[in-house]
């Protein structure tokens, strides 16, 4: 409500407690702050954040990314063990959909995925669509664990399709990835 009132005023400068003094594009900054303070996505697109031990979960993430791009969706892909974690968190808040892809590790998920989800939840991640890809040899639990870690987040819509990979991508998991791509393009 306060930002809506401020948007109606002829504000020439913003003097924040932290950061630079803003003299240009003030209305744009007010609009952006309104978006950020309401936890709304800035743009439509899909962030695919993955952790992979032997390359099979990475393969699934890359396949899904390619499918989404062919359908015209903006895709931002992050290898959580190698890419800048802060950039991954930033894009997770920027776009309207997030895919978490991880193998099962000690009946949970790889520590780097756990850390990524923690970064999201401690910043009140909400108002997004989340999809899950899990990988495991005999008893995959990664999807259940990742979903449980996000349980306290507000207004998350989980994709109906959860992709299950049993060690390596096969025709069945490729078909699940296609279903997930279709679902993410409908939202």
């Amino acid at each position: 409500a306060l930002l809506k009132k401020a948007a109606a005023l002829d504000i020439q400068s913003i003097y924040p407690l932290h950061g630079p003094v803003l003299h240009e594009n003030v209305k744009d900054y007010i609009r952006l702050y309104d978006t950020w303070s309401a936890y709304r996505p800035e743009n439509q697109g899909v962030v695919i954040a993955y952790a992979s031990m032997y390359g099979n979960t990475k393969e699934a993430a890359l396949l899904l990314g390619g499918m989404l791009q062919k359908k015209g969706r903006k895709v931002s892909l992050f290898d959580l063990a190698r890419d800048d974690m802060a950039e991954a968190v930033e894009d997770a808040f920027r776009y309207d959909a997030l895919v978490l892809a991880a193998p099962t590790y000690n009946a949970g998920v790889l520590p780097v995925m756990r850390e990524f989800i923690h970064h999201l939840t401690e910043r009140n991640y909400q108002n997004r669509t989340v999809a899950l890809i899990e990988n495991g040899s005999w008893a995959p639990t990664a999807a259940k664990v990742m979903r449980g870690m996000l349980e306290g987040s507000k207004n998350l819509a989980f994709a109906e399709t959860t992709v299950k990979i049993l060690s390596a991508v096969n025709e069945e998991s490729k078909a699940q990835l296609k279903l997930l791509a279709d679902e993410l393009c409908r939202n």
Side-chain angles (χ1 to χ4, degrees), residues 21-168:
V21 174
L22 305 170
H23 298 290
E24 298 173 359
N25 306 316
V26 171
K27 288 205 183 287
D28 289 335
Y29 288 113
I30 291 172
R31 180 188 49 77
L32 281 171
Y33 188 77
D34 180 55
T35 298
W36 299 331
S37 67
Y39 294 93
R40 291 188 309 267
E42 291 175 54
N43 303 102
Q44 295 219 335
V46 180
V47 173
I48 301 174
Y50 69 89
S52 190
M53 286 194 294
Y54 305 112
N56 295 309
T57 307
K58 176 182 179 178
E59 179 185 354
L62 294 173
L63 282 169
L64 178 63
M67 292 174 187
L68 291 166
Q69 286 174 329
K70 281 183 183 176
K71 293 176 173 291
R73 261 315 225 154
K74 166 76 173 132
V75 174
S76 187
L77 193 72
F78 292 95
D79 178 342
L80 296 175
R82 290 167 184 79
D83 295 331
D84 187 329
M85 182 76 67
E87 294 289 328
V89 171
E90 177 185 349
D91 274 6
F93 278 90
R94 175 176 291 131
Y95 296 109
D96 65 328
L98 172 65
V99 177
L100 300 172
T104 297
Y105 180 78
N106 289 338
V109 294
L110 284 177
V112 70
M113 177 60 77
R114 189 172 44 250
E115 178 186 354
F116 177 68
I117 295 171
H118 176 72
H119 282 296
L120 297 178
T121 57
E122 76 178 357
R123 288 166 179 80
N124 207 17
Y125 189 72
Q126 59 185 286
N127 300 325
R128 306 293 191 282
T129 298
V130 177
L132 305 170
I133 299 173
E134 66 179 356
N135 191 348
S137 296
W138 53 84
T141 59
K144 178 181 175 185
V145 171
M146 292 185 291
R147 188 179 184 126
M149 291 179 73
L150 292 165
E151 229 170 46
S153 300
K154 298 176 191 170
N155 301 321
L156 292 184
F158 285 91
E160 290 179 25
T161 305
T162 296
V163 177
K164 183 182 290 189
I165 301 164
L166 297 174
S167 294

